[in-house]
Amino acid sequence: MNKLTRHIFLLLLVLCVGKSFGQVRVFRVAPRERYFDRPRQNPERKIENVKINYIRTRLNLPPEQAEKFFPLYQEYQQELFNVRKLKRQNNSYAADGQEQVNRELMYENEIVQIKIKFNNAFLKVLPPGKVSELYKSEKEFNDELVRQLSERNNQQGVPLAPGY
């Protein structure tokens, strides 16, 4: 009788344990979008979008003027970006000193020519007061951007370069 009790006990134990494991439910939850899974926007692009919105607000253009102005402004920004990129690359080369200075002056001249070209184009689309407001708005935006970045760096304990 002792053997029979042991076998029944083992059989019940196996059935109970087996049944409890069989009833475990696995819930599949749709994975949440994690911060690092989201497509990130390029920081330069993000700043450019904020700048465009700032200028849009400051100029307060009627829709027909805005429709003509902003594609022109985007082209202006892109041309300046391209020349400034070349200018930075020129500064990174350890080439002949005089050649590097000549290239630097050439890039500065290109920037001035782009500004003159687009100033005339802006005047065809906007009244002179709005063009003046555009340049003021750009300057104010850039100053505020530099101020905020320097405050962030100071809060993080990153020293600024001498002279800033």
Side-chain angles (χ1 to χ4, degrees):
M1 180 96 164
N2 203 6
K3 277 186 171 182
L4 183 61
T5 311
R6 234 186 288 161
H7 286 320
I8 292 174
F9 179 77
L10 280 173
L11 184 61
L12 287 174
L13 181 67
V14 170
L15 285 175
C16 289
V17 172
K19 187 165 178 96
S20 68
F21 281 122
Q23 290 183 358
V24 173
R25 290 186 178 175
V26 177
F27 293 98
R28 295 189 187 258
V29 178
R32 276 194 261 174
E33 181 181 340
R34 291 173 279 171
Y35 173 76
F36 51 84
D37 288 340
R38 284 184 261 161
R40 293 187 189 159
Q41 192 176 24
N42 185 350
E44 290 87 14
R45 185 52 124 174
K46 204 174 190 180
I47 291 171
E48 188 63 32
N49 289 340
V50 172
K51 183 177 183 180
I52 294 288
N53 287 335
Y54 180 78
I55 289 173
R56 184 183 310 270
T57 304
R58 288 294 305 266
L59 293 182
N60 194 23
L61 298 176
E64 60 275 356
Q65 279 184 339
E67 192 175 298
K68 293 176 185 175
F69 169 73
F70 281 106
L72 191 61
Y73 184 73
Q74 293 282 33
E75 184 181 345
Y76 167 69
Q77 289 295 308
Q78 188 61 48
E79 285 191 29
L80 285 177
F81 175 80
N82 292 339
V83 174
R84 289 177 177 147
K85 183 177 178 182
L86 291 172
K87 186 177 171 185
R88 277 192 307 274
Q89 290 172 349
N90 179 49
N91 288 337
S92 66
Y93 295 128
D96 177 32
Q98 186 59 46
E99 181 182 338
Q100 191 171 8
V101 169
N102 290 340
R103 283 187 191 159
E104 181 79 16
L105 292 172
M106 180 190 70
Y107 292 134
E108 287 292 330
N109 187 37
E110 282 186 44
I111 289 172
V112 169
Q113 293 304 316
I114 290 169
K115 287 183 177 187
I116 290 170
K117 172 181 132 182
F118 279 95
N119 182 54
N120 294 332
F122 292 152
L123 286 170
K124 291 177 183 174
V125 176
L126 302 175
K130 294 281 185 176
V131 174
S132 176
E133 185 64 30
L134 166 68
Y135 295 132
K136 287 178 193 173
S137 299
E138 280 187 320
K139 177 79 171 121
E140 288 173 5
F141 180 84
N142 291 336
D143 290 347
E144 181 64 19
L145 181 64
V146 168
R147 186 188 67 74
Q148 286 187 15
L149 288 174
S150 66
E151 282 180 6
R152 286 184 189 177
N153 285 339
N154 287 338
Q155 288 174 354
Q156 294 173 358
V158 177
L160 293 175
Y164 289 98

